[in-house]
Amino acid sequence: TLADTAMVLACGGAVGEMIPVGTVTLDTQFLRPASGDHIDAEAEIVRAGRGMIFARCTLIAYPAGKPVATATATFAR
């Protein structure tokens, strides 16, 4: 859920305003157990087209600073 939400917010940042998008695909790879104080989500847009937006996200556990999961998603505009 955190990765999906972060990528939706990145979609809004990529187009300059919050727009309605629907998650078409979401693929998550869990790398290790999450432990620590908090988890940050770093999302980026790979490509933003007229009809589809492609994104990826890394979830990082702190204070260790190690990635615990990565996700890729496709969104319909």
Side-chain angles (χ1 to χ4, degrees):
T1 301
L2 176 60
D4 185 56
T5 302
M7 289 185 283
V8 166
L9 293 172
C11 288
V15 299
E17 64 179 322
M18 289 308 297
I19 58 170
V21 295
T23 305
V24 176
T25 65
L26 176 60
D27 184 33
T28 306
Q29 300 81 38
F30 296 97
L31 307 173
R32 65 175 43 91
S35 62
D37 296 336
H38 68 278
I39 296 175
D40 281 355
E42 297 179 359
E44 66 178 315
I45 300 303
V46 176
R47 180 177 180 275
R50 289 184 299 169
M52 302 291 273
I53 300 174
F54 303 89
R56 67 177 150 232
C57 182
T58 302
L59 301 180
I60 303 169
Y62 286 96
K66 294 184 177 182
V68 295
T70 61
T72 57
T74 305
F75 299 94
R77 292 179 78 165

